[in-house]
Amino acid sequence: MKPLFIGATLQDCGKTSVCLGLMQLLQERGLNPGYCKPVGQHYVRYQDKNIDEDGVLMHQVFHIKDEPYYLSPIAIERGFTKRFIDNPDVRPLEEQILSVHYKLRQWHPMLIYEGTGHAGVGSCFGLSNARVAQLLGAKVVIVTEGGIGRPLDEIAVSLALFADYEVEVIGVILNKILPEKYDKISETAAKGLRLLGTELVGAMPYEPALSEFTVGQVAEEFGYKVFCGSESLNNRINHVIIAAMEPQHVFQHIEDRTLVIIPGDRVDNILITILLLSRYGEKTGGMILTSGFEPHPTIEPLLQASQIPVLLSTDDTFTVSARMKDLGFKIRPYETDKIIRLHQIVRDYVDTDRILDALKE
């Protein structure tokens, strides 16, 4: 069976989500799939090696026995691209990927490779997604966000590059389609993709719960100090607002699971936030107090009693809010509810049989 390469049109389109769902489905079928992200841009230190965070996720979720290195052989460390441009020899990198590939083929009858960004990412050091897929002899499924015009344009660009490397694209998975537009988008996109010479092999609906993150993840990501409410850092967030307006205007914006960014000296809006979040019960929402101001001592007991997690940042309100824009957190191994849901979504909305049939040599 040919390897399957999961590519995308942009970052954060849902490659890892698709991989998580497919891995679960294939394990159910007894196929013992292997996983690898040959080129990783976002790595962490894991078992004494720099391993892409998606490789770590797969290693932990599926209790994979392969050494982590085989899930993430090349980590793009600081200065990597400059060193390559100064000494442009891609052969050692290609040999590294192929060595891992041959080992994985011995251990797994089927392999899923996850790309990095769009088809051209990695071209600056000779390892674009298209080149890596060609090197592995893989067939490709491209993941893109739900829509019609822009996704089709982006797919056309990716198809052209994969074609240049003579890599077969099995089809496209649309992800994060708004439920109210699901039928219209999936039907129209399928027709548009056929005009581009490819097929729609999956259309996954948008589920807000999969995009939720916790207050603790925000603190970890940006190094914010936890002022109080540490027992509620697992509060899930699906709505972020900036409460820099007058208190009477804050009322209409705070709802369940809201993270409220407040200048730390705005006692009025801090009090309003405590009141409004308390309407939804315990363990909901959170606050980030900005500009290095700690809460006034007179309201500290109220914050402590509310159990709302409160983070402190020395940055100004604009900087903190800008960081939150389009923020997408990777799924963590302990988020079993999300992982199980991805299994169900891929099972119900992706034509896995069609993909597997296309991989047969």
Side-chain angles (χ1 to χ4, degrees):
M1 185 176 286
K2 289 277 190 180
L4 175 62
F5 188 96
I6 304 295
T9 54
L10 294 169
Q11 285 187 333
D12 301 323
C13 283
K15 298 187 304 299
T16 304
S17 295
V18 170
C19 288
L20 279 166
L22 283 175
M23 287 285 288
Q24 293 175 86
L25 287 173
L26 296 173
Q27 284 188 340
E28 282 184 347
R29 298 186 182 198
L31 291 178
N32 183 27
Y35 168 91
C36 177
K37 189 166 185 178
V39 180
Q41 290 183 308
H42 302 287
Y43 63 87
V44 295
R45 198 67 181 169
Y46 182 67
Q47 296 189 11
D48 296 323
K49 288 185 173 62
N50 290 337
I51 304 296
D52 185 87
E53 57 187 353
D54 292 326
V56 174
L57 173 67
M58 296 294 176
H59 196 257
Q60 294 181 346
V61 168
F62 297 106
H63 307 289
I64 296 174
K65 295 180 180 179
D66 307 338
E67 289 293 324
Y69 164 76
Y70 290 101
L71 280 66
S72 175
I74 297 176
I76 307 305
E77 302 167 348
R78 184 181 297 274
F80 183 98
T81 302
K82 182 181 185 304
R83 288 194 299 271
F84 177 85
I85 292 173
D86 290 339
N87 182 26
D89 184 3
V90 75
R91 289 174 299 175
L93 299 174
E94 292 181 343
E95 290 169 2
Q96 193 173 346
I97 290 173
L98 285 174
S99 175
V100 166
H101 174 67
Y102 295 142
K103 285 288 187 181
L104 290 174
R105 289 293 301 242
Q106 296 175 25
W107 304 330
H108 303 280
M110 181 188 173
L111 297 174
I112 294 177
Y113 286 98
E114 182 175 349
T116 302
H118 59 73
V121 170
S123 297
C124 55
F125 45 80
L127 289 177
S128 69
N129 282 238
R131 171 53 182 153
V132 172
Q134 180 194 47
L135 191 66
L136 297 168
K139 296 186 179 182
V140 174
V141 167
I142 302 173
V143 181
T144 190
E145 290 193 354
I148 298 173
R150 192 185 78 177
L152 289 177
D153 288 343
E154 292 167 349
I155 288 291
V157 174
S158 289
L159 288 174
L161 189 54
F162 282 119
D164 281 347
Y165 283 87
E166 300 181 340
V167 173
E168 179 182 342
V169 176
I170 297 171
V172 173
I173 295 174
L174 290 181
N175 188 28
K176 304 177 185 177
I177 305 175
L178 294 176
E180 63 271 22
K181 298 181 178 180
Y182 184 87
D183 291 339
K184 175 185 175 182
I185 287 178
S186 56
E187 290 172 8
T188 306
K191 295 176 183 177
L193 289 169
R194 283 194 289 273
L195 292 176
L196 295 178
T198 190
E199 299 289 333
L200 184 68
V201 294
M204 297 165 53
Y206 172 68
E207 294 210 8
L210 293 177
S211 300
E212 290 178 351
F213 53 88
T214 68
V215 179
Q217 286 175 317
V218 175
E220 176 187 331
E221 179 77 11
F222 301 118
Y224 295 152
K225 176 184 175 182
V226 179
F227 179 78
C228 67
S230 57
E231 69 279 5
S232 302
L233 289 174
N234 285 330
N235 284 7
R236 290 284 181 87
I237 300 298
N238 59 23
H239 182 54
V240 179
I241 73 159
I242 304 166
M245 69 285 281
E246 289 298 312
Q248 65 269 24
H249 301 302
V250 176
F251 276 89
Q252 57 189 311
H253 297 290
I254 295 181
E255 55 193 51
D256 193 16
R257 299 190 180 189
T258 298
L259 179 63
V260 188
I261 301 171
I262 312 173
D265 57 350
R266 288 296 300 264
V267 174
D268 49 359
N269 284 343
I270 294 173
L271 291 173
I272 289 292
T273 300
I274 294 173
L275 173 64
L276 295 179
L277 286 179
S278 66
R279 296 186 306 181
Y280 301 102
E282 297 180 355
K283 304 291 185 181
T284 184
M287 295 186 219
I288 303 176
L289 305 185
T290 67
S291 304
F293 296 114
E294 294 199 3
H296 193 276
T298 58
I299 64 170
E300 183 176 340
L302 293 174
L303 285 170
Q304 296 284 359
S306 73
Q307 297 186 330
I308 296 170
V310 178
L311 310 181
L312 301 181
S313 171
T314 57
D315 295 316
D316 60 74
T317 304
F318 175 81
T319 300
V320 171
S321 60
R323 286 174 176 164
M324 299 300 297
K325 185 179 182 296
D326 299 325
L327 182 63
F329 285 103
K330 292 286 187 181
I331 292 175
R332 302 299 205 266
Y334 55 78
E335 294 184 293
T336 54
D337 55 336
K338 291 185 180 182
I339 294 167
I340 291 170
R341 184 59 188 136
L342 285 170
H343 175 202
Q344 296 167 342
I345 291 174
V346 172
R347 179 195 63 202
D348 295 341
Y349 294 98
V350 175
D351 194 343
T352 308
D353 289 333
R354 187 173 179 180
I355 293 172
L356 290 177
D357 286 342
L359 295 176
K360 293 177 182 176
E361 296 179 291

